Amino acid sequence: MKEKVDALRTKFQADLQAVSDKAGLEELRLSFMSKKGAIQDLMKELSQIPNDQKKDAGQLINMFKQEVAKHFDERKKELDALEEKRLIESSESYDESMPTESPVGSYHPITLIQRELEDIFKSMGFDVEDYNEIVDDYNCFEALNIPKFHPARDMQDTYYLSTNNQLLKSHTSAAQNTIMRKYGDKLKKNGRPIRAVFPGRCFRNEAIDSCHDNTFFQMEGVMIDENISISNLIYFMKTMLSEVFEKDVTVRLRPGFFPFVEPGFELDIQCLICGGDGCPSCKGSGWLELCPCGMIHPNVLKHGGINTEEDPFKYTGFAFGLGLTRLAMMKYGVKDIRIFNEGDINALSQFESK
Ligand code: PHE
């Protein structure tokens, strides 16, 4: 048996060196290692050897088999490297100064409206913040005065991850607590009011149609200081919306329920198409619902470390949750919400900054 294995080894080594590509290598591998290969043939011969020599002969074949497998791997790596080298040498070199033939891209309408709003808020002294899309239950609900099993959770059914109790954020309000913790010290030590907007992608378990999507964008804003009142809220919203629509807008507040604001409102703007007389765009009411908002609930300020048990009303603030997707639909006259996420270049490249 030893002579046979040695002879096969010599043949194997010669054949291995002779292969020059991966197809040849695979062929060689099959001729040695497959069920009909040379090593299997040796195995079959084992039955004809005297019993007292079987063990040693079996070991010999097995060791040879391992040796062959190892050499195949090594040769495969060598051939891979050679192939890569050949590819690099044969490809034309890349000249980055060559003019491109593809058309110039365009910004997504949500990006356009988001940047426009960021600029407006920055000019009013707001910081712009980014936030995660995957959040925990505490930030998305509990810190916002929505305890476990509270019926208000039904309004925001979202997607839960199977690990770590995490979920896709159902609203940008999920960042409120983090923002309060980030800027709270400056407010308390230096008297610097907290003014921040934080745009973001949100998710809800929605039935999709032309007005609803399971993925949409909001821009949240908060302002916190001593003596912040509803008048401040109205002023900022009115100024911002007049800039966006490039004309003076009239706003009104209606009561609205959100557990994290008290009082809570729905902010409407007077219909820009009919000027308030009533038309199909505003369904005859003269008003368009645009932005839920309200005064931040004392429990939320406490969760965010802004107010203490001893002085629970020292600081007050307002929050709003602007529907960026909605605003983009109104501003650009988009009739079907689905175009924002479908990635249809023809539909998306029509929008331009003002
Ligand atoms: N987060 C709320 C929603 O998405 C909107 C909101 C934000 C309401 C801030 C009040 C204050 O439904």
Side-chain angles (χ1 to χ4, degrees):
M1 182 55 75
K2 186 164 182 323
E3 295 79 59
K4 283 196 177 158
V5 171
D6 284 344
L8 205 55
R9 180 180 289 116
T10 315
K11 178 174 173 349
F12 170 70
Q13 281 164 351
D15 287 356
L16 193 66
Q17 279 316 309
V19 286
S20 58
D21 58 18
K22 283 203 280 187
L25 187 70
E26 180 60 10
E27 213 171 286
L28 185 63
R29 194 184 69 78
L30 292 175
S31 75
F32 274 84
M33 312 273 284
S34 71
K35 279 192 185 136
K36 290 183 186 141
I39 295 181
Q40 195 60 29
D41 288 347
L42 286 181
M43 286 297 212
K44 281 182 203 148
E45 283 179 34
L46 268 183
S47 58
Q48 285 136 35
I49 325 188
N51 272 350
D52 61 338
Q53 291 172 25
K54 262 196 184 121
K55 193 174 160 217
D56 285 348
Q59 262 178 2
L60 210 66
I61 300 174
N62 265 333
M63 274 163 64
F64 177 57
K65 193 173 171 186
Q66 282 170 17
E67 190 187 319
V68 167
K70 188 169 150 254
H71 280 100
F72 267 120
D73 281 350
E74 283 169 8
R75 185 75 181 132
K76 184 165 178 298
K77 281 190 195 133
E78 273 172 33
L79 288 175
D80 278 344
L82 261 169
E83 201 164 288
E84 195 175 312
K85 193 165 165 247
R86 233 180 284 148
L87 218 85
I88 292 172
E89 280 167 1
S90 67
S91 65
E92 286 172 35
S93 57
Y94 170 66
D95 179 359
E96 59 188 47
S97 68
M98 286 283 280
T100 163
E101 305 227 322
S102 54
V104 177
S106 63
Y107 285 113
H108 193 282
I110 298 287
T111 307
L112 291 175
I113 197 114
Q114 179 181 321
R115 291 194 179 169
E116 197 179 324
L117 285 171
E118 284 175 4
D119 285 345
I120 296 169
F121 278 109
K122 273 193 248 170
S123 76
M124 296 194 285
F126 280 71
D127 294 296
V128 179
E129 286 286 340
D130 201 6
Y131 196 61
N132 308 344
E133 288 176 356
I134 297 176
V135 299
D136 59 15
D137 188 273
Y138 177 78
N139 281 289
C140 202
F141 299 121
E142 289 199 33
L144 292 166
N145 202 29
I146 314 177
K148 286 208 164 55
F149 309 114
H150 192 285
R153 287 199 179 200
D154 288 352
M155 297 193 296
Q156 301 206 2
D157 186 16
T158 182
Y159 301 94
Y160 287 78
L161 276 70
S162 50
T163 49
N164 300 340
N165 282 331
Q166 290 187 310
L167 46 115
L168 299 185
K169 74 166 183 263
S170 55
H171 54 172
T172 40
S173 308
Q176 280 194 17
N177 189 268
T178 307
I179 302 287
M180 289 179 198
R181 300 225 162 253
K182 175 167 178 187
Y183 291 105
D185 269 359
K186 287 193 187 128
L187 169 68
K188 287 185 271 185
K189 288 195 189 123
N190 314 339
R192 179 187 190 269
I194 301 179
R195 275 179 295 194
V197 285
F198 25 109
R201 197 196 309 257
C202 304
F203 307 84
R204 283 189 206 171
N205 184 8
E206 293 271 3
I208 297 174
D209 60 28
S210 62
C211 305
H212 301 89
D213 204 341
N214 56 17
T215 305
F216 55 96
F217 292 81
Q218 292 186 335
M219 181 182 269
E220 187 98 354
V222 292
M223 174 161 186
I224 305 169
D225 197 359
E226 289 179 36
N227 301 319
I228 295 290
S229 72
I230 298 171
S231 325
N232 298 107
L233 167 64
I234 297 176
Y235 168 79
F236 277 102
M237 297 315 286
K238 212 169 133 61
T239 310
M240 181 274 291
L241 292 169
S242 302
E243 287 270 343
V244 172
F245 291 105
E246 295 164 57
K247 55 173 124 172
D248 241 354
V249 296
T250 308
V251 300
R252 74 172 185 191
L253 294 179
R254 284 179 295 118
F257 172 68
F258 303 94
F260 36 95
V261 283
E262 179 58 37
F265 306 106
E266 292 286 353
L267 183 136
D268 299 337
I269 58 169
Q270 201 164 57
C271 179
L272 298 164
I273 296 174
C274 63
D277 296 337
C279 69
S281 283
C282 57
K283 297 201 186 93
S285 73
W287 295 91
L288 290 166
E289 190 180 313
L290 194 70
C291 174
C293 54
M295 300 304 293
I296 302 175
H297 195 287
N299 287 350
V300 177
L301 290 170
K302 220 186 293 167
H303 270 294
I306 300 292
N307 285 332
T308 55
E309 290 290 350
E310 296 74 50
D311 200 355
F313 301 109
K314 179 162 188 209
Y315 296 102
T316 50
F318 65 75
F320 59 85
L322 198 60
L324 271 190
T325 303
R326 200 101 201 263
L327 202 60
M329 287 175 84
M330 284 173 70
K331 182 161 168 149
Y332 298 118
V334 174
K335 301 244 161 22
D336 192 331
I337 195 169
R338 288 170 283 203
I339 73 150
F340 293 122
N341 291 326
E342 274 175 355
D344 174 350
I345 303 279
N346 278 340
L348 291 173
S349 57
Q350 302 169 45
F351 306 96
E352 272 185 30
S353 198
K354 58 174 177 172

